[in-house]
């Protein structure tokens, strides 16, 4: 199919672009009243994720309402542990909750391999429908959580600041930890391949809790999983976003991926020096800038764009957009990128 706006794909492949493409992590979500209206008619988030027509609708909303250069399929990283045998809930104002978690070796028996067209058919249907509805307007991004981040939820069952329980497992039960990480990695690879077959144009792997591991532990436990994913997914461009992982950015740069996502705790030029010239960088405006005035947003966005230099860059925030940000501020961010020369 002819892609009318292929800026994201060209930038990810390192090709020349007229201007950097722009999208936002968590663009499909609570910042939009139109999203909240769709969600309010359903029993909750999980039903929205599992209803392809509705997931498609909220995926396309930011393309129509905000003017982003890409859509990201509306789903969650937690659908993978669910498909493996650990269902999740989303508790209002608290976040994800897993009634059952993995605590000991015997718990692994509850888990099974993932057949994406069965266990995650609703995601595949949402992707097929969204591709059809987008009709080539902008690329569609698929995604999965990184094995380490999924591991954290499967062990602890809910969000945490330090994830001490998950890290404890690495020291006390390293073999079991490795087995579980391998199981998640296997599921992630088949899941991403199925998303690509269903039509996504680029995939992103979110390692949201990378930052709580030392470089040593990341290298020992998480990196081998990331390496396998990057080596096995070659059909479309792949972005690795290891939030808080700037202390091993040089190691991430050795991965067989096209784009490295950056949080806002590193200067774009420092990141470029560390990563070298072979990869595209994505990010990395501090999401809190969008609480600033429209003028501040324009100023900070232009500074960021200048520091990245205009090529091999995908404009984004350094993490997901916060739910209480005014959509008009988001539009100012997007328009500033689009007007930038
Ligand atoms: O627009 C998009 O980016 C696509 C959809 C998307 C969601 N979650 C929808 C969602 C994506 C890419 C994710 C990824 C995700 N989910 C991550 C990695 C990215 C990151 O933010 O670090 C993580 C760690 C999760 C787990 C998760 N899901 C949490 C911690 C929460 C609750 C906190 C929160 O942000 O609300 C969710 C729920 C969730 N996932 C919502 C959305 C829109 C909010 C649900 C709602 O109230 O409607």
């Amino acid at each position: 199919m002819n892609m009318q706006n292929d800026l994201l794909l060209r930038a990810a492949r390192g090709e020349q672009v007229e201007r950097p493409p722009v999208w936002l992590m968590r663009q499909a979500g609570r910042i939009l009243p139109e999203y909240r209206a769709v969600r309010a008619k359903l029993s909750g988030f999980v039903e929205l994720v599992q209803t392809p027509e509705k997931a498609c609708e909220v995926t396309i909303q930011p393309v129509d309402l905000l003017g982003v250069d890409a859509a990201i399929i509306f789903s969650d990283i937690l659908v993978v542990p669910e498909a493996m045998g650990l269902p999740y809930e989303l508790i209002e104002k608290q976040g994800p909750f897993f009634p059952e978690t993995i605590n000991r070796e015997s718990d692994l028996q509850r888990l099974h391999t993932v057949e994406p067209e069965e266990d995650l058919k609703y995601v595949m249907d949402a992707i097929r429908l969204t591709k059809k509805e987008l009709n080539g307007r902008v690329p569609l991004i698929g995604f999965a959580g990184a094995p380490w981040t999924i591991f954290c939820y499967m062990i602890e069952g809910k969000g945490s600041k330090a994830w001490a329980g998950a890290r404890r497992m690495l020291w006390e039960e390293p073999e079991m930890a490795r087995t579980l990480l391998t199981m998640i990695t296997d599921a992630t690879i088949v899941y991403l391949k199925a998303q690509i077959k269903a039509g996504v144009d680029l995939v992103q792997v979110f390692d949201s809790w990378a930052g709580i591991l030392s470089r040593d532990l990341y290298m020992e436990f998480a990196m081998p999983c990331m390496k396998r994913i990057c080596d096995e997914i070659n059909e479309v461009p792949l972005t690795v976003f290891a939030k808080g992982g700037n202390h091993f950015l040089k190691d991430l740069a050795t991965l067989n991926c096209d784009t490295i996502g950056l949080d806002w705790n590193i200067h774009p030029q420092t990141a470029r020096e560390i990563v070298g010239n072979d990869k595209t960088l994505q990010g990395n405006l501090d999401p809190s800038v969008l609480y600033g005035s429209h003028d501040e947003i324009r100023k900070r966005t232009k500074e960021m764009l200048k520091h990245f230099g205009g090529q091999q860059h995908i404009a984004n925030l350094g993490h997901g957009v916060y739910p209480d940000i005014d959509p008009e501020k988001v539009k100012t961010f997007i328009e500033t990128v689009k007007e930038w020369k």
Side-chain angles (χ1 to χ4, degrees):
M1 189 196 295
N2 229 356
M3 189 69 71
Q4 289 149 40
N5 175 349
D6 65 351
L7 274 175
L8 176 83
L9 300 177
R10 280 191 280 141
R13 294 192 212 105
E15 296 167 16
Q16 283 282 317
V17 287
E18 306 78 71
R19 59 152 176 98
V22 58
W23 69 281
L24 286 86
M25 292 184 273
R26 294 290 181 98
Q27 66 188 17
R30 288 165 301 179
I31 54 160
L32 294 174
E34 293 84 353
Y35 165 85
R36 294 198 297 267
V38 173
R39 190 186 182 291
K41 290 198 200 115
L42 303 171
S43 63
F45 175 76
V46 177
E47 189 186 352
L48 178 51
V49 165
Q50 294 180 354
T51 310
E53 295 72 27
K54 297 293 167 193
C56 166
E57 185 179 348
V58 299
T59 298
I60 297 177
Q61 281 175 348
V63 178
D64 291 333
L65 300 166
L66 303 171
V68 283
D69 293 310
I72 177 162
I73 191 67
F74 188 82
S75 183
D76 201 85
I77 63 168
L78 304 177
V79 302
V80 167
E82 169 156 273
M84 292 172 75
L86 285 191
Y88 69 98
E89 297 161 13
L90 197 82
I91 300 177
E92 199 67 40
K93 295 197 172 73
Q94 283 186 39
F97 177 67
F98 289 82
E100 291 171 83
T101 55
I102 303 295
N103 300 297
R104 52 189 67 79
E105 188 90 43
S106 59
D107 293 338
L108 295 180
Q109 286 164 11
R110 272 200 255 129
L111 304 179
H112 55 81
T113 57
V114 169
E115 301 285 345
E117 284 292 351
E118 286 169 27
D119 305 315
L120 292 161
K121 185 168 185 295
Y122 58 88
V123 181
M124 303 309 146
D125 287 342
I127 290 170
R128 285 184 280 262
L129 191 59
T130 305
K131 278 298 286 183
K132 194 168 141 243
E133 293 290 315
L134 278 173
N135 195 22
R137 275 200 289 160
V138 291
L140 179 61
I141 302 170
F143 68 91
W148 163 248
T149 289
I150 298 299
F151 176 94
C152 285
Y153 284 105
M154 290 176 88
I155 301 293
E156 300 210 19
K158 56 180 178 359
S160 162
K161 279 211 169 73
W163 298 98
R167 284 149 73 212
R168 176 179 182 163
M169 193 72 84
L170 304 182
W171 294 104
E172 291 186 350
E173 302 281 352
E175 281 319 308
M176 182 191 147
R178 254 186 273 274
T179 304
L180 178 54
L181 284 164
T182 302
M183 292 168 83
I184 302 167
T185 306
D186 293 341
T188 305
I189 291 168
V190 294
Y191 179 45
L192 288 173
K193 284 198 179 285
Q195 290 186 45
I196 295 165
K197 210 168 158 209
V200 301
D201 302 289
L202 180 151
V203 292
Q204 174 158 329
V205 179
F206 286 91
D207 211 349
S208 302
W209 309 117
I212 56 152
L213 290 181
S214 65
R215 176 176 178 272
D216 282 355
L217 282 191
Y218 197 85
M219 287 305 125
E220 193 177 336
F221 289 95
M223 196 66 170
C225 308
M226 296 302 263
K227 185 172 182 328
R228 264 192 67 205
I229 295 169
C230 292
D231 288 345
E232 292 195 36
I233 304 291
N234 296 303
E235 301 89 333
V236 299
L238 186 149
T239 299
V240 167
F241 175 53
K243 185 173 181 295
N246 294 326
H247 53 301
F248 43 80
L249 186 56
K250 198 163 183 58
D251 304 286
L252 294 169
T254 67
L255 287 168
N256 186 9
C257 65
D258 304 271
T259 300
I260 303 263
L262 300 171
D263 64 26
W264 64 97
N265 291 326
I266 190 163
H267 192 284
Q269 284 163 345
T270 310
R272 181 49 82 197
E273 279 161 29
I274 293 171
V275 171
N277 293 322
D278 290 346
K279 293 199 192 312
T280 294
L281 298 175
Q282 174 171 280
N284 74 342
L285 193 73
D286 174 353
S288 79
V289 169
L290 301 189
Y291 292 120
S293 66
H294 289 275
D295 278 346
E296 276 292 349
I297 295 168
R298 283 185 207 101
K299 175 169 168 259
R300 305 289 169 157
T301 303
K302 283 184 204 155
E303 276 170 14
M304 171 193 74
L305 292 166
K306 190 178 94 199
H307 290 139
F308 278 107
Q311 301 295 331
Q312 289 184 296
H313 177 221
I314 298 165
N316 207 311
L317 305 179
H319 198 199
V321 59
Y322 301 139
D324 59 351
I325 295 284
D326 176 358
E328 291 305 316
K329 300 281 180 78
V330 176
K331 278 193 211 162
T332 296
F333 168 66
I334 292 165
E335 274 152 25
T336 307
V337 179
K338 289 183 157 180
E339 286 161 10
W340 191 74
K341 288 198 184 68

